[in-house]
């Protein structure tokens, strides 16, 4: 009698046990394959940075991580499904949670979207000197959410990418050769050819001013009290700030040495004596 009862118990619970063992084994297999696939896809996407060198590595690392987490999410749902868990409700819950998080982090998401666009189109890169969001400095880091600048007085400026993308960006390091615009005014009594000769001599003597393209020195404006010259020497990008902060003083000294007057604004006043007989 006991043997019959034991056989009934075994026959009753054996299929359920085998089913659970099979589900556990399949869940482990799915989990291991999912982890391998997620890592493999992430590695492939990150490896694309060597093929598309014009795009930033940070973009591929971000996309690789996103692909990995998406695959792991599907793997997690597949594992739960093996144990009979209703995954439809979990997917709906995750969707609602994602929507709520997205609404709560609108600013962060806009920075993320702007960061992706900046990394794809690359209007600037690390070590470029840029002017963006009302700040000027050298780019030290570009990530998915912020751009970090180093100013000339050695301050660190962290700018959200959403403030940069969609607004004007001036990249001072994009072209290897830069023109440096400067303006100088001389008195109307001075000979413009003589003034041009003095300015040309200063530019020619400067070690960082290029001969080709040749400097541009011409009269630009006839102002109320001065004849204004536009002076545009050309230099390599790394010498731009040295030129703009040294040449004006050199030209001022050269004009003084040649007795060429640099006027200041003045106004002529004529007094009329109406009481004169």
């Amino acid at each position: 009698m006991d043997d019959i009862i034991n056989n009934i118990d075994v026959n009753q619970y054996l299929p359920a046990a085998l089913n659970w063992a099979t589900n556990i084994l399949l869940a482990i297999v799915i989990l291991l394959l999912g982890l391998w696939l997620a890592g493999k896809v992430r590695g492939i996407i990150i490896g694309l940075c060597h093929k598309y060198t014009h795009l930033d590595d940070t973009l591929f690392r971000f996309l690789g991580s996103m692909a990995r987490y998406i695959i792991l999410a599907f793997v997690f749902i597949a594992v739960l499904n093996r144990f009979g868990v209703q995954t439809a409700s979990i997917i709906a819950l995750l969707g609602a949670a994602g929507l709520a998080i997205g609404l709560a982090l609108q600013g962060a998401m806009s920075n993320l979207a702007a960061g992706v666009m900046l990394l794809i189109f690359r209007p600037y890169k690390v070590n470029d000197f840029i002017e963006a969001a009302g700040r000027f400095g050298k780019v030290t880091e570009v990530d998915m959410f912020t751009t970090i600048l180093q100013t000339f007085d050695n301050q660190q400026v962290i700018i959200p990418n959403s403030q940069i993308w969609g607004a004007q960006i001036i990249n001072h390091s994009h072209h290897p050769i830069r023109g440096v615009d400067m303006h100088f005014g001389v008195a109307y009594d001075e000979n413009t050819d003589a003034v041009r000769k003095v300015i040309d001599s200063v530019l020619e003597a400067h070690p960082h001013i290029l001969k080709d393209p040749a400097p541009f020195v011409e009269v630009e404006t006839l102002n109320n009290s001065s004849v204004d010259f536009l002076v545009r020497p050309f230099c390599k990008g790394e010498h731009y700030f040295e030129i703009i902060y040294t040449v004006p003083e050199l030209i001022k000294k050269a004009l003084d040495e040649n007795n060429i007057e640099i006027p200041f604004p003045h106004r002529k006043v004529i007094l009329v004596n109406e009481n004169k007989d």
Side-chain angles (χ1 to χ4, degrees):
M1 187 69 179
D2 292 338
D3 293 339
I4 295 174
I5 293 174
N6 290 333
N7 288 334
I8 292 174
D9 291 341
V10 170
N11 292 332
Q12 181 179 357
Y13 293 108
L14 183 60
L18 289 175
N19 187 47
W20 268 97
T22 302
N23 285 334
I24 291 174
L25 181 61
L26 288 174
I28 293 174
V29 171
I30 292 172
L31 182 61
L32 293 176
L33 287 176
L35 290 173
W36 175 83
L37 180 62
K40 190 71 174 177
V41 170
R42 180 177 182 273
I44 291 174
I45 293 176
I46 293 177
L48 291 175
C49 67
H50 302 295
K51 182 178 180 181
Y52 300 97
T53 55
H54 62 286
L55 296 176
D56 197 278
D57 296 351
T58 307
L59 176 63
F60 292 99
R61 289 196 294 270
F62 170 74
L63 294 177
S65 297
M66 288 293 294
R68 179 174 179 269
Y69 290 129
I70 290 173
I71 293 174
L72 290 178
F74 281 106
V75 169
F76 177 70
I77 292 173
V79 169
L80 292 178
N81 193 49
R82 294 308 309 171
F83 294 102
V85 178
Q86 294 296 324
T87 55
S89 58
I90 295 177
I91 294 174
L93 180 62
L94 290 175
L99 178 61
I101 293 172
L103 292 174
L105 300 176
Q106 289 183 21
M109 293 300 102
S110 63
N111 288 329
L112 175 62
V116 171
M117 300 303 290
L118 289 173
L119 292 174
I120 290 176
F121 293 101
R122 297 190 73 184
Y124 54 82
K125 59 184 183 298
V126 174
N127 292 327
D128 281 355
F129 285 92
I130 69 167
E131 206 172 322
R135 301 307 298 262
F136 176 78
K138 183 175 76 172
V139 179
T140 59
E141 185 177 344
V142 183
D143 59 30
M144 301 306 302
F145 294 94
T146 61
T147 293
I148 301 177
L149 302 182
Q150 179 184 8
T151 62
F152 284 106
D153 55 351
N154 221 22
Q155 290 182 331
Q156 184 185 64
V157 181
I158 302 174
I159 306 175
N161 285 333
S162 60
Q163 294 185 14
I164 297 177
W165 183 255
Q168 177 177 270
I169 303 172
I170 301 176
N171 189 341
H172 293 273
S173 303
H174 181 74
H175 296 289
I177 303 298
R178 292 287 311 276
V180 187
D181 280 7
M182 293 173 282
H183 302 270
F184 301 95
V186 298
Y188 269 91
D189 292 338
E190 303 296 342
N191 185 290
T192 55
D193 292 331
V195 174
R196 187 182 293 107
K197 184 177 180 181
V198 171
I199 295 175
D200 283 338
S201 65
V202 173
L203 301 180
E204 186 176 356
H206 200 287
H208 296 314
I209 292 179
L210 301 178
K211 304 297 187 292
D212 186 21
F216 179 88
V217 181
E218 295 295 341
V219 173
E220 180 184 34
T221 308
L222 300 178
N223 264 328
N224 293 334
S225 57
S226 65
V227 177
D228 292 347
F229 280 79
L230 170 61
V231 178
R232 182 185 294 133
F234 292 88
C235 64
K236 293 183 178 179
E238 60 265 27
H239 298 140
Y240 176 86
F241 295 102
E242 182 178 353
I243 300 297
I244 201 169
Y245 290 123
T246 61
V247 170
E249 182 179 359
L250 295 175
I251 291 180
K252 167 67 167 57
K253 291 179 178 179
L255 293 176
D256 290 343
E257 291 172 358
N258 288 271
N259 298 318
I260 296 176
E261 181 186 356
I262 302 176
F264 54 87
H266 60 274
R267 181 168 299 177
K268 185 177 181 180
V269 179
I270 301 175
L271 297 178
V272 178
N273 188 355
E274 296 181 352
N275 295 325
K276 185 178 179 181
D277 293 335

